[in-house]
Each structure stands twice: as structure tokens, then as C-alpha cells.
Amino acid sequence: MKNRLIAIVTLALSLALGACHGGDTARVDDDLATAEVALDEGNPKVAINLCNEIIQKADREHFPVSTLGKTSILLMRLSEEVPDDEEEFITQATQCYLKAFATNADSALAYYSSLPIDYARYTSMLAQLSQAITAPAQLLDSAETDSIDSSLLNLEHDHDHAE
């Protein structure tokens, strides 16, 4: 009986915690909608405050790709509205973009592909920035391969002269 009671309490707590986590995502989506409206109405300060809260939560919680995508686009819009903080907003937007693709690349591609044409410039810039960030690792891998290939060529060349 005692084990059954513990199992029921554990299940209830698990369900409650799961509901709280889902509620956090819903609240973040509501905050994003409020921030978008504030920005549309010419009140970037409200949008900035809400975005800062969302970014803090995104650092410690798992968000769906759509939430990360919406956040990245909103940050790109803010970068145009508040030029003094443009670099910071673009950096944060790029981090959200990268996190969206790390979470689920297919869903991220579908999300960004479905955006209105007005947001194509943001998606293009985010793609270019993320490629620039991730490319050095790919270039390093390529450079190591090139150096291995050239060392093999030198060995073959040395072997030809030895005969």
C-alpha cells in the first residue's frame, strides 16, 4: 500500500512539473506576442524587456524550435529599431537561430522557410552569420586533411627519388 501511495504521488508530481514546463513555453510565446505588438506600436523598450526575460529563460530551459525562431526574428527587428544595441540584438538572434537548428534542423528549416517574405532578409542574414560562426571548425577540419594529404604527397615524392 505504501509503495502504491509513493507511486501515485510521484506520478502526480511528474505530471504537475510537466504542466508547469509547458506553461512556461506558453507564457514565453505570450511574451513574444506582446513584444511583437509593442514593437509594432513603436514601443521598443517593452519589447526589449520581454526579450531579455526570454533570452534568460532560453539559456536555462529547453524551448521549441518555433519559440527560438520567433525570438530570433524579433531580435533582428529590434536591431533595426534600436541601432545603438544592433550588435547585441544580432548576436542574440544568431544564438537563437543556431540553437533552433541544434534542437531540430528539419523543424528549424521548415519554420524559417515558412516566414513571410518581409522576414527573408533576417533569415538570410542569420544563415550567413551562423555559417560564418560554424565555418571555422569546418575549415580547420579541411586544413588538417589538406596537411595530411600534402605530407603523403611528400612521402610519395621522396620515395620516387629514393629509387
Side-chain angles (χ1 to χ4, degrees), residues 44-45 48 75 77-91:
K45 287 183 181 182
I48 291 168
L75 288 163
R77 290 182 59 205
L78 278 169
S79 74
E80 291 179 341
E81 293 291 323
V82 187
D84 291 344
D85 295 327
E86 176 184 32
E87 188 176 321
E88 179 183 347
F89 292 132
I90 291 173
T91 299

Side-chain angles (χ1 to χ4, degrees), residues 16-55:
L17 290 174
C20 289
H21 181 69
D24 287 346
T25 301
R27 182 167 184 264
V28 168
D29 287 341
D30 288 345
D31 287 348
L32 279 169
T34 301
E36 288 174 347
V37 169
L39 190 57
D40 290 341
E41 293 177 351
N43 193 351
K45 287 183 181 182
V46 171
I48 291 168
N49 289 336
L50 289 168
C51 278
N52 286 337
E53 290 177 20
I54 292 166
I55 293 297

